[in-house]
Amino acid sequence: AIFAMVEHRSWVAEVVAHLRGDRDAPPALDPHHCRFGQWLHQQTTRTGCGEPRKLDLVEQLHGEVHGRAQALVALKQAGQLEAALAGCAEIQGLRDRLLGALMKIL
């Protein structure tokens, strides 16, 4: 789980770097293709892992942060850089909520 948390933090940093122009391409924006999403999928589909629904909030927040990142990247691609940059704090806040929710269940 700690590795997954580090991966998610890194993914958000890569999105922000792309929005700021420090990275040419964004990371994988599909929530099922990032490393955290793959880890989360394994956790929620494993048999014998106890109560997989304890990850519902984490799964919801993961979808939200990816959805918001997709919207911000689309704004940047549409030439609305200022609006895209304004959303960086929002995805960082979603990241913090997701990591906090995951810490509570570990």
Side-chain angles (χ1 to χ4, degrees), residues 1-13 34-37 39-40 54-55 57-63 65 90-106:
I2 299 299
F3 177 75
M5 294 170 75
V6 169
E7 286 292 335
H8 183 68
R9 186 176 293 278
S10 174
W11 181 87
V12 171
C34 73
R35 288 185 179 148
F36 184 87
W39 173 84
L40 187 59
K54 66 185 177 182
L55 291 169
L57 178 59
V58 172
E59 205 167 19
Q60 174 193 337
L61 289 168
H62 183 242
V65 75
E90 183 181 357
I91 62 170
Q92 290 166 330
L94 285 168
R95 173 207 60 206
D96 293 345
R97 286 181 56 207
L98 182 153
L99 296 176
L102 188 54
M103 285 298 294
K104 285 181 182 178
I105 59 174
L106 288 180

Side-chain angles (χ1 to χ4, degrees), residues 14-75:
E14 290 173 10
V15 171
V16 170
H18 171 69
L19 295 173
R20 291 183 176 156
D22 298 330
R23 178 185 163 110
D24 290 335
L29 294 174
D30 184 309
H32 301 101
H33 293 147
C34 73
R35 288 185 179 148
F36 184 87
Q38 293 167 352
W39 173 84
L40 187 59
H41 178 74
Q42 289 175 342
Q43 300 307 305
T44 58
T45 57
R46 273 185 7 199
T47 56
C49 68
E51 179 59 49
R53 296 296 56 159
K54 66 185 177 182
L55 291 169
D56 278 351
L57 178 59
V58 172
E59 205 167 19
Q60 174 193 337
L61 289 168
H62 183 242
E64 285 181 36
V65 75
H66 272 267
R68 191 64 187 126
Q70 289 169 352
L72 295 175
V73 168
L75 283 172

